[in-house]
Amino acid sequence: MIRTLLIVAVFALPFACGPAFAQDEPQQVVARVKLNSPNNKEQPVFAEAGDILMVVSLKDDVALVQSPEGRRANVRRQDVVELSRSKPLYDQLIKEDPRNGGLYASRAMVYSLLEDRQQVIADLNIAIRLGLKTPSLWINRGAAYATLGEFDKAIADYSAAIKAGYKHPSAYVNRAVAQLAKGEAKLASDDLTLALKEDPKNEFALMQRGVAYQRQQQWDRAIADFTAVFQLDDQNIEAISSRGFTHYLKGDGKSAVADFTTAIKINPKSALAYNNRGFNRQTIAQYQEAIADFDKAIELEPKYALAYQNKAWLLATCPDDNIRDGKTAIQAAMKAGELREWKAVTDIKSLAAAYAEVGDFDKAVQWQKKAIEMIENEEAKSGEQELLKLYQNKAPFRFSPPAGE
């Protein structure tokens, strides 16, 4: 039959993460010209034009900078430019030396800061064609591909970096994120396990593996990973919410309620947490408390359509006669439908159920037919046909109370 929706905080990021590009840090600068180190006779050249340096400190017109090798030198501020503003410099340097793959790789970093992923890929393609074999090039190109949603190409690049000897945990994490985006949860959990062997307290990797286990319906393993994250950071609302959602999927509404209660303690203004706790309270027959949670979610976020829809469904179909309120259910379902422009099947189904509750079966049939028209899956449509028959027979719907109630 009908089920209200449970929406939880984001579980998986849709793009790659890791060391690919040290993004948007003002301390990163680029040498405009060759920078000499007159006090170092063995290495008189500190940096070539186009080299990326890290600013250690600034004083007046002098910057103390550090090279990737760890060498330091004082340079004039006019002789360096912030990485994010260095594209014209790289354009000129590439014009003068078009066979220098390192310049293309560095300009790709600038394009990444500018969020121009296509140009990132184009420059890294050239750098690789010119013979650069640094694994980070594949990592960076993979990150750009992943951000564009080209996950097969991203996975191929991360795999190439790993094959070339890049064993940093982030390579496995990045590949796992792309695998998750493709629905390959088992491959993702395997990669994340490899990453966690090297970095067992990596919260992001633990979260992502929890997601991967969740998608494989390995509830206990998912719960263990989300618990590990929360033990590392007891203010991580995503971790405790993800654990709560997994408890719900496992059929443990009581534990889910406890986790969303913790989420509310972390952020008392989280409408999402109140909605989710309300939904799970409904599953353990705490109906009045569920209504209170939906109302609190709406108070915190007056345009929260899902909370209105959850409230409408509970008021229309609850097996407890003391809870049902058809007129209020109609109002809540109408509000949910208006907020989502009548594009959500659940809003329409809730409105049909609400009309059935007040005995207006003509409208219940009318709205249930509209819901069925919106459903493409034949199996799901079959279930909704059963509801339609119920209303046609002038009977309202009641969901079954939890076992033992």
Side-chain angles (χ1 to χ4, degrees), residues 171-173 175-176 179 186-196:
Y172 295 102
V173 173
R175 189 168 67 176
Q179 288 163 339
K186 178 60 168 63
L187 292 175
S189 60
D190 289 346
D191 267 354
L192 290 161
T193 297
L194 291 172
L196 287 163

Side-chain angles (χ1 to χ4, degrees), residues 382-399:
S382 175
E384 299 311 319
Q385 292 285 0
E386 294 300 315
L387 271 181
L388 178 61
K389 290 178 183 178
L390 198 66
Y391 302 152
Q392 289 172 332
N393 291 328
K394 301 188 182 306
F397 173 72
R398 304 283 181 263
F399 65 78

Side-chain angles (χ1 to χ4, degrees), residues 186-225:
K186 178 60 168 63
L187 292 175
S189 60
D190 289 346
D191 267 354
L192 290 161
T193 297
L194 291 172
L196 287 163
K197 284 182 179 179
E198 298 297 323
D199 186 6
K201 294 185 178 181
N202 186 320
E203 292 182 29
F204 183 82
L206 284 166
M207 280 292 294
Q208 297 309 297
R209 192 173 66 174
V211 173
Y213 283 143
Q214 188 187 84
R215 294 184 184 178
Q216 296 171 70
Q217 298 186 15
Q218 296 187 29
W219 310 130
D220 291 338
R221 286 185 171 185
I223 288 167
D225 276 349

Side-chain angles (χ1 to χ4, degrees), residues 266-280:
I266 295 171
N267 182 5
K269 295 184 178 180
S270 173
L272 181 69
Y274 275 104
N275 175 74
N276 291 343
R277 188 175 70 174
F279 182 93
N280 281 281

Side-chain angles (χ1 to χ4, degrees), residues 59-122:
K59 185 177 181 181
D60 299 327
D61 293 330
V62 176
L64 175 61
V65 296
Q66 181 172 299
S67 71
E69 298 78 25
R71 298 171 60 204
R72 292 187 176 188
N74 287 308
V75 301
R76 296 185 304 172
R77 293 182 67 171
Q78 67 189 54
D79 289 337
V80 295
V81 59
E82 288 184 19
L83 180 61
S84 60
R85 299 179 180 180
S86 62
K87 180 182 175 297
L89 171 63
Y90 281 119
D91 290 345
Q92 181 60 37
L93 293 173
I94 287 171
K95 184 177 180 180
E96 296 171 359
D97 188 4
R99 303 292 299 172
N100 187 331
L103 293 175
Y104 291 98
S106 294
R107 190 172 66 178
M109 296 182 69
V110 183
Y111 280 126
S112 182
L113 294 176
L114 300 175
E115 299 185 357
D116 189 341
R117 309 303 176 190
Q118 294 289 1
Q119 284 300 322
V120 170
I121 293 167

